[in-house]
Amino acid sequence: MSPDDFDRLQSLMVSRAGFRLTRDRMKLAEHRLGPVARREGFETVDAMLGSLWAKPVASLGWAVIEALLNPETWFRRDRVSFDTFGKELLPALGKARGGQPVKIWSAGCSTGQEAWSLAIAAREAGVAVEIVATDLSQRALEKARSGAYTGFEIQRGLKAETMLRHFDQAEDAWIANAELRAMVHFARANLIDAPTDAHRFDIIFCRHVLGDADPARRGEMFDNLERRLVDDGCLFLGPDEQPEGDSIAFRPVAGRKGLFVKSPTALRRVA
């Protein structure tokens, strides 16, 4: 892959998805695009990109973008955040909502481990929830919807007893059981798209997603998250992620790394 091709890929990713890769990840990008080129019938990545530049095809463009998104995830990633969610926030919100389901959005769910982890925490807390899990990658969503994981994937974050309680074994796979499946709905969504309806959530998880966002688009993403969050809701980012400089819509919760609530400025704007 030439530097010019990489720069054009950057422009494609920023314009359609709001994400970009640093130049030192050029080799990684070429490695990830190899299977896409073969799947699409091209002998090389260069041939695929040449065809895309000469005659842009939306489906191929999205296949390229999806392959370059960071898919890294595992069950109960950042365990402290899940402890705060399951042991503190869920019980409090369950009471505040008067028995109505607590609405949760896993934004950038990748292959689904975060969404299923949220469902497990809700079951263990005994709180009714409705979880919407979204991602830009169709291939990641296919795996997420299947709810099927290897023993290695399951035990990367879950104890064996938790696996046995919430997953059913089917040959070499472990599959999320019916109780978990009833709690989670998966859908494709783009974080740079402004909301087109009034649906809002009590809790939003958007962790380890915005680190690769283009600086010029991060503000839009935070604004869209803020519009989807109820006024007394909470936003979880990664423990070391901050919206400072990108958005004034959120303020951190003292003593809770990665946890944010709406700032007074955002609340006044809504009022």
Side-chain angles (χ1 to χ4, degrees):
M1 181 188 301
S2 70
D4 182 60
D5 278 333
F6 188 75
D7 289 343
R8 295 183 77 168
L9 278 177
Q10 296 280 42
S11 297
L12 179 70
M13 289 188 69
V14 170
S15 63
R16 294 201 190 179
F19 293 96
R20 67 164 54 247
L21 300 175
T22 53
R23 181 59 70 88
D24 62 347
R25 295 165 79 179
M26 187 185 303
K27 289 295 184 183
L28 174 63
E30 188 165 14
H31 174 73
R32 288 183 176 174
L33 290 178
V36 180
R38 291 189 291 273
R39 190 171 70 240
E40 297 293 333
F42 295 95
E43 292 187 2
T44 65
V45 171
D46 288 343
M48 178 179 69
L49 294 178
S51 176
L52 183 61
W53 309 144
K55 187 178 180 181
V57 176
S59 59
L60 179 58
W62 279 116
V64 166
I65 291 170
E66 290 181 12
L68 297 177
L69 298 175
N70 184 5
E72 182 73 359
T73 186
W74 58 86
F75 287 93
R76 285 183 174 169
R77 184 179 187 180
D78 309 324
R79 189 169 295 274
V80 172
S81 294
F82 278 95
D83 287 343
T84 300
F85 167 76
K87 297 177 181 179
E88 300 179 36
L89 285 182
L90 269 185
L93 277 171
K95 291 180 180 178
R97 298 300 181 256
Q100 293 297 311
V102 176
K103 296 180 179 180
I104 303 164
W105 180 19
S106 172
C109 69
S110 187
T111 47
Q113 284 94 321
E114 178 177 87
W116 298 121
S117 297
L118 295 171
I120 289 169
R123 283 189 70 190
E124 293 179 345
V127 178
V129 299
E130 294 176 357
I131 300 169
V132 174
T134 67
D135 202 84
L136 194 56
S137 170
Q138 292 282 22
R139 293 179 69 83
L141 287 170
E142 288 174 8
K143 180 174 177 63
R145 288 191 184 100
S146 76
Y149 302 92
T150 65
F152 173 79
E153 289 172 320
I154 292 281
Q155 293 180 54
R156 191 184 180 197
L158 296 183
K159 296 179 180 179
E161 61 187 87
T162 304
M163 176 180 72
L164 293 171
R165 190 161 58 248
H166 299 287
F167 291 80
D168 299 323
Q169 188 172 18
E171 297 182 353
D172 295 330
W174 291 85
I175 303 175
N177 62 26
E179 289 81 1
L180 288 190
R181 288 177 174 278
M183 302 163 70
V184 185
H185 171 71
F186 291 98
R188 188 173 186 268
N190 193 335
L191 292 178
I192 64 173
D193 291 341
T196 57
D197 56 50
H199 190 78
R200 296 205 292 172
F201 298 91
D202 299 298
I203 301 174
I204 297 176
F205 273 65
C206 188
R207 305 172 316 132
H208 309 287
V209 175
L210 301 182
D212 286 335
D214 180 68
R217 309 302 296 269
R218 277 170 58 94
E220 295 176 51
M221 295 181 182
F222 276 112
D223 286 346
N224 291 337
L225 293 173
E226 186 268 326
R227 291 178 187 137
R228 283 297 191 193
L229 188 67
V230 299
D231 291 346
D232 61 345
C234 296
L235 169 68
F236 280 91
L237 301 178
D240 298 318
E241 295 178 320
Q242 295 279 344
E244 293 178 359
D246 299 300
S247 173
I248 59 172
F250 299 100
R251 64 176 177 83
V253 176
R256 295 290 187 270
K257 291 185 69 175
L259 181 61
F260 298 83
V261 295
K262 286 193 177 184
S263 68
T265 300
L267 295 174
R268 285 197 300 271
R269 186 177 66 210
V270 172

